[in-house]
Amino acid sequence: MTFVIITHVPHILENKAIYAYAPYVREMNSWIKGIDKLIIVAPISSSLKTAIDVYYEHENIEFVAIKGFDVLSLKAILRSIYKIPVISWRIFWAMQKGDHIHLRCPGNMGLLGCLVQILFPNKIKTAKYAGNWDPKSKQPFSYKLQKWILSNTFLTRNMQVLVYGEWRGSTANIKPFFTATYTETDKLPLPPKDLKSRINFVFVGTLVRGKNPLYAIQLVETLYKKGHDVALTFYGEGMERNALEQYINEHNLQKIIFLEGNRSSDVIKTAYQSSHFVLLPSESEGWPKAIAEGMFWGCVPMATSVSCVPFMLDWGNRGVLLTMNLEEDFLQIEAVIKNEVDFIDKSKKASDWSRHYTMDVFEKEINTLLQ
């Protein structure tokens, strides 16, 4: 089988290997086990690989490099007018060679892939919609267009669309799905966690406004000022780092807030194991991997009520649904901190739920899709 991936994720070529963002590549390595040939159509990056990049585990890869593009400004739109026909042509030829077409959505490449795949109604296809599928959520027009094309069973044929959560009114080709990080062998006993010493919060993700890292700091800062022995550690980089550093310095929070940058998966795992809470006050998510990973190791999740997060947290029974009102969220978190029985109950429920979604289960589901 020749398997074709259309993705917006930037790729790095180094020492004859192809690297990209680790969580995405690890997932794709599960998809490409047992295939004969892999064709990747994706933007190429001139950056050097970092601790959060890993390589595709396949020996027969054809990489079709394209130039990245966006439509966020008039200047970018004008540049894209020249790029889009060339990119679409390369997507078309890759799809023509493939036996199975796989789209990664939402994104600019995903949108072009959605359009070009219409020309191949008889080929077997899958799409992974990694964003928020909630039809009521506010999203860019390009995202809504991708969702409309993918849901249209006349334009989009022979395709299963994998989405996070179950949504009323979905067409027959929309399949609720999940993602995973850990395997069955990772199901080690949970490290003991009590609330008698310092209470550790962890934030794993890109430091951008949409994920509200400053709000995470302000939550922990409020707990600290109310007399709680707390600390918050960030893992990730992003445009908000300088602003966060400035806030930490201005408010003298250097002893309780730590910015660790990008770190390997092993370091992140250790952080989850030693943390009491995993925190993600994000404006939009698909399946927030950081939340599921933290839950796996017994962290009580605290996240906003977006996409399938309420389902993941069982509407508050195995976590805290943030309201983005600082006083309300402080009271919610303090209530858990003051009730160790409730904390232990939520921690166990979180872990039990997350440990159902392992890579072993994930790969079985992928094999079913490919067959």
Side-chain angles (χ1 to χ4, degrees):
M1 176 196 293
T2 298
F3 190 86
V4 179
I5 303 172
I6 311 297
T7 177
H8 64 278
V9 176
H11 286 56
I12 300 165
L13 276 60
E14 186 174 310
N15 296 328
K16 297 183 179 180
I18 302 173
Y19 293 81
Y21 182 54
Y24 154 77
V25 175
R26 289 195 183 103
E27 179 181 325
M28 293 317 307
N29 281 337
S30 295
W31 283 85
I32 63 179
K33 286 182 179 180
I35 68 167
D36 301 307
K37 182 178 180 179
L38 173 63
I39 301 176
I40 306 168
V41 185
I44 189 167
S45 172
S46 58
S47 303
L48 297 175
K49 68 180 178 69
T50 67
I52 59 169
D53 296 311
V54 297
Y55 62 90
Y56 288 87
E57 296 175 358
H58 203 278
E59 294 184 355
N60 188 8
I61 303 177
E62 178 182 343
F63 183 71
V64 181
I66 59 97
K67 293 183 178 180
F69 71 99
D70 64 69
V71 290
L72 300 177
S73 66
L74 179 60
K75 188 175 182 179
I77 292 173
L78 292 175
R79 287 178 177 174
S80 298
I81 290 174
Y82 295 98
K83 294 180 182 179
I84 288 174
V86 175
I87 295 171
S88 300
W89 186 248
R90 290 180 179 176
I91 291 174
F92 174 86
W93 278 107
M95 287 185 176
Q96 191 173 59
K97 294 179 183 178
D99 300 305
H100 186 111
I101 297 167
H102 182 71
L103 307 183
R104 304 297 295 192
C105 301
N108 294 328
M109 286 293 291
L111 176 56
L112 293 182
C114 286
L115 294 169
V116 177
Q117 64 83 25
I118 296 172
L119 303 175
F120 300 93
N122 297 321
K123 293 210 173 191
I124 299 172
K125 292 165 281 187
T126 49
K128 174 71 176 291
Y129 194 91
N132 184 358
W133 191 262
D134 184 355
K136 297 180 181 179
S137 63
K138 293 182 180 179
Q139 296 185 358
F141 172 75
S142 62
Y143 285 24
K144 292 181 179 179
L145 180 58
Q146 288 170 69
K147 290 163 72 172
W148 179 79
I149 296 172
L150 292 172
S151 298
N152 189 311
T153 53
F154 176 76
L155 295 176
T156 302
R157 303 188 183 189
N158 278 331
M159 178 184 283
Q160 294 187 75
V161 183
L162 313 180
V163 306
Y164 297 133
E166 297 185 28
W167 308 100
R168 289 183 180 180
S170 294
T171 49
N173 66 331
I174 306 302
K175 180 181 176 65
F177 214 66
F178 64 97
T179 191
T181 301
Y182 302 113
T183 66
E184 291 292 325
T185 58
D186 289 312
K187 289 183 177 180
L188 303 173
L190 291 178
K193 299 182 182 185
D194 60 54
L195 304 175
K196 295 179 177 62
S197 55
R198 171 166 278 196
I199 299 168
N200 293 313
F201 292 74
V202 64
F203 178 113
V204 179
T206 312
L207 304 182
V208 294
R209 287 189 180 181
K211 290 188 181 292
N212 290 311
L214 179 58
Y215 186 77
I217 291 177
Q218 291 170 337
L219 269 177
V220 174
E221 177 188 13
T222 304
L223 288 164
Y224 177 68
K225 289 182 176 179
K226 294 291 184 178
H228 297 284
D229 185 9
V230 293
L232 168 62
T233 304
F234 286 87
Y235 291 94
E237 291 288 356
M239 296 178 66
E240 290 297 293
R241 182 180 179 114
N242 290 338
L244 299 180
E245 288 178 338
Q246 183 177 345
Y247 186 91
I248 292 167
N249 291 330
E250 288 178 353
H251 293 78
N252 298 314
L253 301 175
Q254 298 91 336
K255 293 182 179 180
I256 67 165
I257 309 293
F258 308 98
L259 304 179
E260 295 295 330
N262 291 329
R263 291 292 184 267
S264 69
S265 58
D266 288 337
V267 172
I268 301 297
K269 182 172 75 172
T270 301
Y272 290 135
Q273 292 171 330
S274 61
S275 296
H276 298 81
F277 298 94
V278 58
L279 185 55
L280 191 65
S282 185
E283 294 177 5
S284 181
E285 290 288 339
W287 176 285
K289 219 169 192 181
I291 292 297
E293 290 174 353
M295 292 170 75
F296 190 97
W297 295 111
C299 295
V300 173
M302 298 183 168
T304 40
S305 184
V306 295
S307 186
C308 63
V309 171
F311 161 73
M312 297 175 74
L313 273 59
D314 192 26
W315 287 266
N317 289 319
R318 48 178 173 249
V320 175
L321 290 169
L322 300 174
T323 65
M324 298 305 291
N325 178 294
L326 192 59
E327 181 62 24
E328 290 179 7
D329 289 336
F330 159 72
L331 291 174
Q332 285 197 91
I333 298 172
E334 187 178 54
V336 179
I337 289 175
K338 287 183 174 180
N339 187 343
E340 191 161 0
V341 173
D342 185 37
F343 167 77
I344 293 172
D345 179 62
K346 281 181 165 57
S347 173
K348 186 178 186 306
K349 286 178 178 177
S351 178
D352 289 345
W353 176 84
S354 182
R355 290 186 174 208
H356 173 72
Y357 298 98
T358 62
M359 286 300 297
D360 306 75
V361 177
F362 181 81
E363 289 182 0
K364 286 180 182 178
E365 294 291 333
I366 294 300
N367 288 334
T368 301
L369 291 169
L370 293 176
Q371 291 171 4

